Amino acid sequence: SGDYYDFMALPHDSLAFAIGDVAGKGISAALLMATIQSTMRTQINTATASGNGNYKWPSTAFMVSNLNRQLYATTAPEKYATFYFAMYDESQHALTYTNAGHLSPMLVRDGKVSLLEPTGTVVGAFPFAVYEEKTVTLEHGDMLVAYTDGIVEPENAYGEMYGEERLQELLIKYTRADSSEIIARAMEAVVEWTGSSELQDDMTMVVARRI
């Protein structure tokens, strides 16, 4: 599998989560995913630890930049990954994220969908890539959906991709359903669209909601 996702509880009921898509498959892709997970979890643990027990909020852009430099230094040039990393601050209801070339996650609010666009290029390909971070305030009922290209790129018998527009329509239709049902509905819709249970790519989706 070339897909990657992870989440980690933070102090004060906050949360960090990530999704990515590693170039290639097989053992090499699995090793790169393991490196990404280890690097990000180490950075989070280091950034949030302090001698007096206070919580120190880390920078998503800084951590993704560190990840990029480490991957570039330790992997072959053709090994890289798209990567979306976000941290949710429960006290401020603020989602801060860095999107390193990954498909834009969808924020569903009041029956409308907005996209969280990339803030930098893929990780592992360029040693001095610059990454930015953005912050959005989540309102009650907001739902964030991040996914890999295995959700939107499968084609039907006529060569037409499932696409972002159909996924948006599905998310709006089932916006009040729980996360597991939304993921199941999306994957069922893609399989039905292709007319085959033998898909060419992995399907990964992360759903987060402010309740």
Side-chain angles (χ1 to χ4, degrees):
S1 172
D3 287 4
Y4 160 86
Y5 78 96
D6 195 14
F7 59 92
M8 184 175 178
L10 302 176
H12 309 303
D13 297 322
S14 296
L15 179 73
F17 64 93
I19 189 170
D21 193 352
V22 176
K25 298 185 183 299
I27 294 176
S28 61
L31 290 173
L32 186 57
M33 284 192 289
T35 299
I36 292 173
Q37 182 183 48
S38 174
T39 300
M40 296 307 294
R41 281 180 169 259
T42 298
Q43 287 194 90
I44 292 171
N45 287 328
T46 300
T48 57
S50 64
N52 58 10
N54 291 330
Y55 177 51
K56 182 180 180 182
W57 191 254
S59 163
T60 61
F62 178 77
M63 288 193 288
V64 172
S65 294
N66 282 344
L67 172 66
N68 174 67
R69 287 191 293 270
Q70 179 168 332
L71 292 181
Y72 182 83
T74 58
T75 61
E78 68 275 10
K79 295 300 179 184
Y80 60 89
T82 65
F83 188 65
Y84 176 85
F85 177 67
M87 304 187 77
Y88 178 67
D89 182 352
E90 173 65 22
S91 64
Q92 302 294 322
H93 307 303
L95 181 78
T96 301
Y97 67 90
T98 294
N99 185 351
H102 194 72
L103 294 173
S104 299
M106 298 179 179
L107 178 62
V108 184
R109 173 183 294 169
D110 296 330
K112 297 181 180 180
V113 177
S114 58
L115 303 180
L116 304 186
E117 300 291 350
T119 58
T121 189
V122 297
V123 291
F126 308 102
F128 303 111
V130 176
Y131 298 93
E132 299 178 355
E133 64 184 33
K134 293 185 178 181
T135 300
V136 294
T137 300
L138 298 186
E139 301 176 359
H140 286 292
D142 281 0
M143 179 174 67
L144 179 69
V145 179
Y147 57 94
T148 59
D149 56 11
I151 298 289
V152 293
E153 291 186 356
E155 299 177 349
N156 62 12
Y158 303 99
E160 184 181 5
M161 292 194 301
Y162 182 71
E164 291 184 359
E165 184 176 341
R166 291 181 180 84
L167 178 58
Q168 291 182 21
E169 292 173 353
L170 182 143
L171 296 178
I172 292 172
K173 180 178 180 180
Y174 295 105
T175 187
R176 296 188 181 279
D178 60 32
S179 299
S180 59
E181 181 179 354
I182 290 171
I183 294 172
R185 294 281 188 179
M187 294 188 175
E188 288 171 2
V190 174
V191 171
E192 183 177 351
W193 176 258
T194 62
S196 171
S197 60
E198 297 293 331
L199 299 180
Q200 298 301 311
D201 201 0
D202 308 310
M203 293 195 295
T204 303
M205 178 178 285
V206 174
V207 177
R209 191 197 306 268
R210 184 188 167 192
I211 56 176

